[in-house]
Amino acid sequence: MTEEEKPRSSNFIRQIIADDLSRNKNNGRVHTRFPPEPNGYLHVGHAKSICLNFGLAAEHAGGQCNLRFDDTNPEKEKIEYIEAIKDDIHWLGFDWEDRLFYASDYFEQLYDYAVHLIREAKAYVDSLNLEEMREYRGTLTEPGRESPDRNRSIEENLDLFKRMRAGEFEAGQYVLRARIDMASPNINMRDPTIYRIKKTRHHRTGDSWNIYPMYDYTHCISDALEGITHSLCTLEFEDHRPLYDWFLDQLPVPCHPQQIEFARLNLNYTVTSKRKLNELVDEGHVRGWDDPRMPTIVGMRRRGYPPAAIRDFCERIGITKNDTVIDMSVLENCVREELDRTTCRVMAVINPLRVVITNFPEDQEELLDAPYHPNLPEMGSREVPFSHVIWIERDDFMEDPPKKFFRLAPGREVRLRYAYFITCEEVIKDDSTGEVVELRCSYDPQTRGGSAPDGRKVKGTIHWVSAAQALETEVRLYDRLFTVPEPGRLEDWRATLNPESVRIISGAMLEPGLLQAKAEESFQFERLGYFCVDAKDSKPDRPVFNRTVTLRDSWVKQNKSS
Ligand code: ATP
Ligand code: MG
């Protein structure tokens, strides 16, 4: 089933849009936007917002979705982030076409609208400092008090605001505030600041501004200027909606978009706050924003999560107004399902044990046909070499096995995947350590392809790699980044980082064809999981593999058995 054919379940936002369209509201237009602040890399929570905004536009004829950078905070913003965000959105499979905007494009218009508010006595220049403002603001139970500057004359406000812009004052000396209601039960409506002095160079407007508009003021106006119909944001903005509407009601803007809030995505065993992710990078807990353990889009990409799996995940978790924590296994299952139907199966041994096939000639090599996918013949097949010495997984042998162990043991016979039955005849150990270093086995030439002409059965099938041709390389095994389900709730969240979130295996043995694997290409290593070629650390003669996800959810198993 392709993605387009998958049934979409409705959600309350789809319902609102359907109702609006049936009433021909906005002349039947659907126009959304994704408004990131370029102060970090995008994470899986942003993916939810991207899929929602671009997805809603795509599912309506003529629907459009803008990409708008919310760049009103020059200290924290960087061009690097802008480029990364654009790449992420394209990689996820969405496109803003010619609708790339920046809030900073509207600085002049935002300034003019602020002047308009002053003229209407709806804004004033205030000289209270931060601490005084906080004190005057009141609390949830007590109303605020009016600033002594609240009734400054319009002329004086205009003059001061102009001089704020011209750089005559220092940061903190004055702010411009909306003049709304200091007694409002909604604290956001108690004369919020709309401009502050900031003598910081902006990555796009350079040194031309000494004042910068606040988010709440900028956001609604940017939406209106772009003709947005449905402005979707996360629940924490619910209390800001009256302010969103207030600004648009006061100003001669071209339209009045509808703000609709939905629950943000929280995933367990990780953090989805740009600030915390930034700290993980800065403090060296991970190897950068694209570390495969990070819930960033670049991290998930490097880990091997296909974009289709992330889109599917965002669709499955749905859009609601309830804040919940989604289990990481939901995302991992989407990744498994997608990789199951798209990747080639190959063989790799990550913890090798040497096996000598005593009755196979030392100087010979045989090629065996091995399909790339058990159920998808159209994926074709390759030939894998078989020879006198092979590697098997150390775990697939036990000297003294319990009853239910059906793999290799002294005197036991197992099937080598796509090859022959072998029987373990001798176990060679290191004299000093007692460690098993080699097995001597015989193979039955009659069982080529995996079945015996006499009808005898074997219970176990194991994977293997021929030693002479094996590609020896590095494989990285990842686990959850944190050891507790909700690290973000803890004061000392860093203390819950999982010390075993990555294990580097340097001597993994892979079937030789994998030398041709391309950067980011994904495979199923039979019985081990899905792996992809690390795009950064791989060399042409030595691809490095990241384990994307195991074949089954080992966490569920662990929890059940404990
Ligand atoms: P963070 O809380 O991680 O710092 P943010 O909200 O400050 O994120 P923005 O760049 O402002 O980051 O977000 C861009 C858009 O993505 C916003 O519309 C925001 O609501 C949405 N978004 C951010 N985090 C999530 C999330 N966890 N789930 C859903 N949407 C999100
Ligand atoms: Mg934000």
Side-chain angles (χ1 to χ4, degrees):
M1 189 153 50
T2 68
E3 242 176 299
E4 287 66 37
E5 291 162 349
K6 277 183 190 154
R8 286 205 177 89
S9 53
S10 193
N11 60 51
F12 78 97
I13 298 182
R14 282 192 176 125
Q15 201 53 54
I16 291 173
I17 292 180
D19 291 347
D20 289 347
L21 290 176
S22 72
R23 290 184 291 120
N24 202 35
K25 189 176 166 188
N26 307 307
N27 295 317
R29 286 188 313 116
V30 175
H31 201 154
T32 55
R33 85 289 169 265
F34 173 65
E37 183 180 355
N39 62 351
Y41 282 70
L42 299 182
H43 54 63
V44 62
H46 295 110
K48 175 176 177 178
S49 181
I50 292 169
C51 291
L52 176 65
N53 281 292
F54 282 95
L56 284 171
E59 66 194 54
H60 291 96
Q64 296 187 317
C65 180
N66 296 358
L67 170 58
R68 182 200 317 136
F69 287 102
D70 222 319
D71 56 346
T72 53
N73 221 342
E75 285 109 342
K76 294 184 183 163
E77 296 163 3
K78 284 200 232 161
I79 306 267
E80 175 198 346
Y81 297 139
I82 294 187
E83 292 311 317
I85 290 170
K86 289 199 234 168
D87 281 351
D88 284 349
I89 298 171
H90 277 151
W91 178 78
L92 266 181
F94 298 103
D95 192 10
W96 54 89
E97 296 167 339
D98 57 349
R99 296 177 306 276
L100 170 60
F101 301 103
Y102 295 84
S104 55
D105 294 341
Y106 312 132
F107 279 173
E108 199 64 47
Q109 177 72 75
L110 289 159
Y111 179 83
D112 289 345
Y113 280 152
V115 168
H116 179 96
L117 289 176
I118 296 174
R119 289 221 161 91
E120 303 274 305
K122 299 276 170 58
Y124 60 98
V125 174
D126 198 353
S127 58
L128 291 186
N129 64 34
L130 269 180
E131 218 165 285
E132 292 165 331
M133 282 236 280
R134 196 171 305 134
E135 195 199 311
Y136 273 72
R137 192 176 296 128
T139 63
L140 285 174
T141 49
E142 288 165 57
R145 281 182 293 137
E146 297 191 351
S147 162
D149 291 343
R150 198 173 196 264
N151 295 314
R152 204 193 283 283
S153 74
I154 290 176
E155 283 62 41
E156 203 183 337
N157 278 323
L158 288 172
D159 175 61
L160 283 173
F161 188 48
K162 202 158 142 195
R163 289 164 61 195
M164 281 167 66
R165 175 179 182 167
E168 282 187 37
F169 310 118
E170 293 313 311
Q173 223 178 324
Y174 288 111
V175 293
L176 184 73
R177 298 176 71 177
R179 195 163 179 274
I180 310 179
D181 179 6
M182 288 308 292
S184 170
N186 183 341
I187 292 184
N188 295 303
M189 301 299 275
R190 294 184 189 168
D191 293 10
T193 298
I194 57 182
Y195 266 94
R196 65 241 191 278
I197 296 170
K198 228 179 227 201
K199 300 198 167 172
T200 313
R201 199 184 158 73
H202 188 281
H203 52 97
R204 300 193 78 240
T205 58
D207 293 319
S208 44
W209 290 90
N210 297 299
I211 54 174
Y212 289 96
M214 299 297 285
Y215 174 85
D216 280 331
Y217 175 70
T218 310
H219 198 81
C220 54
I221 294 174
S222 307
D223 281 347
L225 292 173
E226 291 173 17
I228 300 304
T229 55
H230 301 85
S231 175
L232 314 178
C233 62
T234 39
L235 281 183
E236 66 270 24
F237 290 100
E238 196 162 17
D239 290 344
H240 298 237
R241 188 179 350 123
L243 185 55
Y244 185 102
D245 290 329
W246 187 88
F247 284 125
L248 297 185
D249 286 340
Q250 310 309 315
L251 292 165
V253 287
C255 66
H256 190 139
Q258 181 185 2
Q259 173 177 311
I260 304 169
E261 309 85 18
F262 64 94
R264 60 189 295 119
L265 166 65
N266 304 300
L267 255 193
N268 66 10
Y269 294 100
T270 191
V271 290
T272 47
S273 131
K274 265 192 255 177
R275 187 178 55 80
K276 290 200 174 80
L277 294 174
N278 216 329
E279 287 169 15
L280 287 176
V281 174
D282 284 350
E283 296 166 13
H285 300 295
V286 293
R287 295 175 57 207
W289 286 98
D290 64 352
D291 186 300
R293 292 167 292 177
M294 291 280 272
T296 50
I297 296 182
V298 280
M300 293 190 289
R301 175 175 182 173
R302 194 165 166 198
R303 174 84 168 251
Y305 286 16
I310 299 174
R311 293 196 299 267
D312 182 31
F313 168 69
C314 291
E315 183 61 35
R316 277 195 218 181
I317 56 175
I319 300 293
T320 67
K321 280 212 177 251
N322 309 322
D323 252 323
T324 53
V325 181
I326 304 287
D327 205 286
M328 182 67 96
S329 62
V330 178
L331 175 56
E332 290 174 340
N333 277 331
C334 292
V335 171
R336 281 189 193 98
E337 276 184 32
E338 179 65 21
L339 291 174
D340 178 45
R341 59 179 194 85
T342 52
T343 57
C344 291
R345 273 60 175 159
V346 293
M347 292 196 285
V349 173
I350 59 177
N351 187 11
L353 174 61
R354 189 180 146 92
V355 174
V356 174
I357 311 290
T358 49
N359 57 339
F360 192 93
E362 242 176 277
D363 52 356
Q364 268 183 38
E365 161 189 335
E366 202 179 313
L367 291 173
L368 298 161
D369 191 51
Y372 273 127
H373 196 291
N375 314 318
L376 299 173
E378 62 272 27
M379 288 181 83
S381 65
R382 81 285 188 196
E383 288 182 318
V384 289
F386 181 72
S387 64
H388 182 61
V389 181
I390 63 168
W391 300 109
I392 66 164
E393 213 66 67
R394 208 160 256 282
D395 290 351
D396 283 336
F397 171 77
M398 275 184 97
E399 206 176 1
D400 198 4
K403 248 200 175 140
K404 291 237 162 116
F405 186 83
F406 298 124
R407 292 166 273 167
L408 208 53
R412 293 262 188 98
E413 187 170 47
V414 293
R415 178 188 293 109
L416 293 178
R417 185 86 158 139
Y418 310 124
Y420 295 99
F421 289 6
I422 58 168
T423 304
C424 177
E425 270 144 10
E426 200 181 335
V427 180
I428 315 284
K429 292 186 187 174
D430 182 300
D431 285 343
S432 51
T433 63
E435 191 198 14
V436 175
V437 290
E438 183 180 299
L439 304 178
R440 306 220 154 185
C441 300
S442 62
Y443 87 114
D444 177 354
Q446 300 286 315
T447 57
R448 184 179 164 127
S451 59
D454 63 7
R456 81 180 185 278
K457 298 279 183 242
V458 289
K459 279 210 167 129
T461 301
I462 65 175
H463 61 275
W464 56 279
V465 168
S466 171
Q469 302 83 2
L471 167 63
E472 183 173 352
T473 190
E474 180 176 315
V475 164
R476 298 169 181 174
L477 306 181
Y478 297 102
D479 199 347
R480 313 228 144 138
L481 187 49
F482 291 91
T483 53
V484 296
E486 293 187 69
R489 286 185 179 273
L490 304 174
E491 188 66 45
D492 194 9
W493 55 278
R494 291 175 187 78
T496 64
L497 276 160
N498 180 3
E500 281 156 34
S501 56
V502 58
R503 253 173 63 214
I504 308 247
I505 310 278
S506 54
M509 299 293 178
L510 279 52
E511 62 171 77
L514 285 168
L515 187 59
Q516 267 76 54
K518 296 186 286 292
E520 295 192 343
E521 200 175 352
S522 286
F523 299 89
Q524 184 193 101
F525 288 1
E526 292 212 31
R527 300 175 66 226
L528 298 177
Y530 295 98
F531 290 74
C532 77
V533 179
D534 189 272
K536 251 193 186 165
D537 296 340
S538 294
K539 305 255 160 26
D541 59 341
R542 196 169 184 272
V544 169
F545 284 84
N546 293 321
R547 185 172 68 194
T548 308
V549 67
T550 53
L551 288 184
R552 266 175 295 275
D553 188 351
S554 54
W555 279 68
V556 171
K557 235 185 337 191
Q558 263 179 34
N559 291 343
K560 271 193 189 143
S561 62
S562 61

